[in-house]
Amino acid sequence: HGPTPPAMTNRLHVLEFPDPAVCDVAELYARLDGTGSVDADGIALGPGATAHLDTYFNCCTVSTWNRAAPLDDLIASVDLEGDGTIEIWNTDSTGSRLVAATQADGPVSLDVPQHDRLEGIVWMRVAAGAAGATIRGGEWNTSTTPRRTVRLAVVMTTYNRPRYVQRNLDNLDRHVRDHPPGRPIRLTIIDNGRNLEVDPTGVAFPVEVVPNRNLGGAGGFARGLLEQRAAGWATHLVFADDDIRLPPALLDRTAAFLAFADRDDQCLSSAMIDESDPARQYECGAGFDTRARHPMHTLRGNLDLTDPSSLVENSRHLPIDYAGWWFFAFPVDLTADTPLPVFVRGDDVEFG
């Protein structure tokens, strides 16, 4: 679901709702004051109740966009059933402030004024009227012209994990049908076990399964990279592990960010969250200290993602030394090198 944004806009990312197949912690999508509920169908608000979307899945990290992918404007769109007040707030290390507001009795779009001067995150606050209201969808948009065309190919390496692969394929297929991506995507599955049985028939995007010798994760990713170079279709690749719970909207968000990035060699890594404790961030980037006995160390670990201050911390620019390949996006022509197809602990560090 989603409102109709102003003509000639480009979607940056959609508002997301809990999905048991990915994550169903409601506080990562919306925080409520008053009566209401947050589920896969939207955010239902009782009379006078308020939804705060300064949350992990639904805020917009404006400082990252301003730094790495500057936009001419930033537009918030909400698909509202009922009537209420729509507000845009900015939160940074110094606190929170209201930057825009409007009354609405249906779908509405609202410009974020002087977005390029803001730090931290921007987020929507929706207060229902006397009869209550429901948020059925929403988007962050821009009228900015993309700096480049992005065709995103996901390379997923697997070994004897058909259930995980099928889960991600089904989730992604469902999302693409509900929210047709603004940029084309493809999926290449490198089957190191040579025994994968998935049915890509009728999937909403091209899917290819490539049998491969069992040369480990790096070997699988190397094969995927070679396949995509030879095919010549993709402008950017995503290396992804088979056992992740991939939030499907992340691919569209990734493609949008790469389309607007001001550097042609821009890469994008992702955070790691333990599926047994999905409100806790284990890592967001990593460091490598050559002088230490244990040189690899996580950055921004042990953050409570239900706390808006953690989202502000994530928005702060922090140089990293490397990032894992559970989800890592990069231009296909970033390098002519190929990962070594051998079992070596830390082999992704050697390439990335």
Side-chain angles (χ1 to χ4, degrees), residues 41-215:
D41 294 324
I43 303 170
L45 299 173
T50 301
H52 301 257
L53 304 187
D54 51 345
T55 59
Y56 183 73
F57 283 104
N58 287 324
C59 75
C60 178
T61 309
V62 67
S63 57
T64 301
W65 285 96
N66 288 341
R67 182 179 65 253
L71 304 171
D72 296 336
D73 56 13
L74 181 61
I75 304 164
S77 299
V78 182
D79 185 2
L80 187 69
E81 292 182 359
D83 68 280
T85 303
I86 313 299
E87 299 176 343
I88 307 299
W89 286 73
N90 169 230
T91 301
D92 59 21
S93 59
T94 66
S96 299
R97 61 206 57 86
L98 177 66
V99 295
T102 190
Q103 296 293 123
D105 57 4
V108 64
S109 294
L110 190 61
D111 284 316
V112 181
Q114 298 184 321
H115 74 281
D116 55 337
R117 299 185 181 182
L118 302 179
E119 294 291 331
I121 62 174
V122 291
W123 50 281
M124 307 177 200
R125 179 181 180 271
V126 181
T134 300
I135 302 171
R136 292 296 184 192
E139 299 178 353
W140 292 98
N141 301 287
T142 184
S143 66
T144 311
T145 300
R147 293 178 175 85
R148 66 188 57 79
T149 297
V150 171
R151 296 184 297 274
L152 197 63
V154 180
V155 173
M156 181 174 289
T157 298
T158 187
Y159 180 75
N160 292 338
R161 284 172 166 171
R163 181 170 60 89
Y164 293 115
V165 174
Q166 191 68 57
R167 179 183 67 187
N168 281 314
L169 180 61
D170 292 345
N171 292 344
L172 187 55
D173 181 48
R174 185 177 68 253
H175 176 79
V176 168
R177 293 181 187 279
D178 291 343
H179 303 278
R183 294 162 187 86
I185 62 171
R186 292 185 178 182
L187 174 62
T188 296
I189 303 168
I190 305 299
D191 178 19
N192 280 355
R194 296 189 177 189
N195 58 3
L196 185 65
E197 294 183 5
V198 297
D199 183 11
T201 305
V203 176
F205 50 89
V207 179
E208 178 186 21
V209 178
V210 179
N212 193 51
R213 293 172 56 197
N214 184 21
L215 297 173

Side-chain angles (χ1 to χ4, degrees), residues 5-22:
M8 301 301 293
T9 61
N10 291 285
R11 186 173 71 207
L12 304 178
H13 58 88
V14 299
L15 294 186
E16 299 181 61
F17 302 132
D19 182 349
V22 179

Side-chain angles (χ1 to χ4, degrees), residues 269-272 281-289 295-303 313-314 316-323 326:
S269 62
S270 69
M272 176 182 282
Q281 180 171 281
Y282 175 78
E283 176 179 307
C284 187
F288 192 89
D289 185 352
M296 301 179 188
H297 58 274
T298 64
L299 299 176
R300 296 191 175 111
N302 199 35
L303 292 185
E313 171 60 23
N314 275 344
R316 184 174 61 87
H317 181 49
L318 181 64
I320 67 174
D321 294 323
Y322 75 96
W326 52 83

